[in-house]
Amino acid sequence: MKHSLPRTYWCHAEEVVPGAVDVPLSNATTTAPGQAVHWVRESVRSIAPALDRSAFYAVWEWLGNHPAVDAAVIALRQGKPYVYTVATPGGGLLRWTAYPVSVLPLVGPGCLPAAPLPRTVAPPPSAAAQALGLDAHPSWSIA
């Protein structure tokens, strides 16, 4: 008998600067596509006041576009990623991405790793991200 893995939605925001490594800003996981799109919209809404005038109006127009929200939810349900970007004054981008991922169910305590994974810290945010009030968050990776 074949079982499919549970689906969840991984959302993340990052700053993309030409010629540099992308800087992670925030992330979240949700259990439904509507929640994933809501996280993207709320994250974008939270930085809107710090944007320049043209970017602010573009963001505000997007936030009011309810058919686009429905299309994003449908795309996620179909297994497609959803991406929203905003240009920054320095020529970079702020990018929000949500996409479906399959997750393994949690296992019992007898299957835990022998040692904790080492913790690494993401690079500091660029000047554009700092000007917008966005901070890089620590991330976990295997060294």
Side-chain angles (χ1 to χ4, degrees), residues 18-142:
V21 176
D22 295 351
V23 178
L25 302 173
S26 63
N27 63 67
T29 55
T30 66
T31 58
Q35 292 171 339
V37 174
H38 179 77
W39 180 88
V40 170
R41 290 172 54 82
E42 287 303 312
S43 182
V44 171
R45 182 179 284 121
S46 71
I47 62 101
L51 297 170
D52 65 16
R53 184 181 298 269
S54 63
F56 174 84
Y57 287 121
V59 163
W60 212 247
E61 181 179 330
W62 174 75
L63 288 170
N65 186 348
H66 298 290
V69 172
D70 296 337
V73 171
I74 290 168
L76 286 170
R77 281 188 183 138
Q78 293 173 345
K80 300 173 187 170
Y82 177 72
V83 179
Y84 182 72
T85 58
V86 175
T88 59
L93 292 172
L94 296 174
R95 178 173 52 205
W96 289 265
T97 307
Y99 50 91
V101 294
S102 295
V103 295
L104 292 172
L106 295 176
V107 295
C111 298
L112 295 175
L117 297 175
R119 184 171 190 229
T120 60
V121 178
S126 70
Q130 289 174 344
L132 293 172
L134 301 172
D135 296 321
H137 292 284
S139 62
W140 292 89
S141 67
I142 298 175

